[in-house]
Amino acid sequence: MSRSTLFGVTLDPLTMDETVQRCLDAVRRGEQIEIGMVNAAKLVNMRRDPALAEAVSGCDLVLADGQAVVWAGRVLGVRLPERVAGIDLFMRLLAAAEVADIPVYLLGAQQQVLELMLAQISERFPELRVAGSRNGYFGDAEQEGIADAVADSGARLLFLGMTSPKKEIFTAGYGKRTGAHVVHGVGGSFDILAGITKRAPLAWQRMGLEWFYRTLQEPRRLGRRYLTTNAAFLVMTVRELIHRTPSAGSANRSHC
């Protein structure tokens, strides 16, 4: 399938079902794919952080994690069939791994949160084979050893419950070394699954207001960040629209 370009970033116009199938095919064929997820905030931050931009762009699949990205694509004439939310893909892959007996590794979050999440996973997916797990608090010097531990575990799916840009940088530097066929950065999904953070109701998600729901939970930490990045994303979209729309004068000259 041909890829799409939005704000200079190459995206894969896949549905959730197509993405899950692509991941399962990678496991079956013994391929290695790294998944990058972009929302409005990350697209803004990629313009400010070259290392983050390079890490995301280097992924084998880059998906629209945010509803705002899908909407911006529609405004700008870029085909993105639907939002592929990182946490939803995470849950779909866990369910598929349980059925197909695919071993998984869970890397990220605080130790207490990780343990709570593992308990929830054990309850929801009792037959899932968890090859290993580790909290996400480690220094740069430890990354190589952690990648080797994942490889030694035999895990075929690796989920990174870490914030950006840490998960993207780890994926770019050590994703292949882990030996996992699929490396998927799931951000704060570990906290949600553990019950520490509450996810927005489905209606809020469909309206693209998941960010606002999160802000209501942590206004001091997230309020300024979301307002700043959302405003910047809106400006990016308007500028791109103006750039792509020919002026009346240009249109008239084209018909002369």
Side-chain angles (χ1 to χ4, degrees):
M1 182 178 293
S2 61
R3 307 181 83 184
S4 303
T5 301
L6 184 66
F7 304 118
V9 178
T10 302
L11 301 175
D12 293 276
L14 300 177
T15 64
M16 177 64 76
D17 288 343
E18 289 169 340
T19 304
V20 171
Q21 189 58 54
R22 178 71 181 85
C23 292
L24 295 178
D25 287 344
V27 174
R28 178 172 55 83
R29 296 170 182 165
E31 300 174 358
Q32 285 188 294
I33 62 173
E34 298 169 355
I35 299 176
M37 313 295 291
V38 294
N39 54 22
K42 191 176 294 183
L43 285 170
V44 170
N45 290 331
M46 285 170 66
R47 293 200 164 186
R48 302 168 177 169
D49 185 343
L52 174 61
E54 183 179 358
V56 173
S57 297
C59 288
D60 302 284
L61 290 181
V62 182
L63 306 167
D65 178 38
Q67 188 61 47
V69 178
V70 177
W71 287 342
R74 290 175 185 170
V75 169
L76 298 171
V78 177
R79 178 184 173 274
L80 296 171
E82 66 181 20
R83 176 192 184 198
V84 180
I87 185 171
D88 294 333
L89 179 59
F90 177 35
M91 299 304 291
R92 286 283 301 271
L93 289 176
L94 287 178
E98 180 184 32
V99 172
D101 191 32
I102 300 171
V104 307
Y105 197 104
L106 300 145
L107 174 61
Q110 297 177 2
Q111 185 63 34
Q112 182 181 6
V113 173
L114 179 63
E115 291 172 2
L116 287 171
M117 185 195 65
L118 289 170
Q120 287 295 319
I121 285 178
S122 178
E123 185 175 325
R124 290 196 192 193
F125 309 103
E127 301 302 318
L128 178 67
R129 185 149 55 107
V130 178
S133 63
R134 192 201 188 284
N135 68 60
Y137 287 78
F138 51 85
D140 292 346
E142 299 175 84
Q143 292 186 93
E144 186 174 306
I146 290 169
D148 289 341
V150 175
D152 291 342
S153 76
R156 294 294 170 257
L157 302 179
L158 169 61
F159 300 104
L160 305 176
M162 300 182 288
T163 58
S164 293
K166 186 173 183 178
K167 65 178 182 290
E168 288 85 5
I169 299 302
F170 180 85
T171 299
Y174 298 95
K176 293 290 189 289
R177 190 182 181 103
T178 66
H181 294 314
V182 178
V183 180
H184 175 25
V186 300
S189 299
F190 284 15
D191 287 2
I192 294 173
L193 195 54
I196 303 299
T197 302
K198 193 173 181 181
R199 194 180 184 193
L202 189 58
W204 289 58
Q205 296 176 40
R206 287 173 176 166
M207 291 188 292
L209 292 175
E210 200 161 6
W211 66 271
F212 186 56
Y213 190 86
R214 287 282 292 114
T215 300
L216 292 177
Q217 294 181 74
E218 299 182 77
R220 290 188 177 182
R221 188 174 77 87
L222 298 177
R224 181 183 178 87
R225 181 196 307 176
Y226 277 130
L227 288 174
T228 301
T229 54
N230 285 353
F233 184 75
L234 180 59
V235 170
M236 280 171 54
T237 304
V238 172
R239 285 179 174 170
E240 186 70 14
L241 182 61
I242 293 172
H243 177 72
R244 294 189 180 200
T245 304
S247 66
S250 297
N252 289 336
R253 284 192 297 272
S254 67
H255 287 86
C256 291

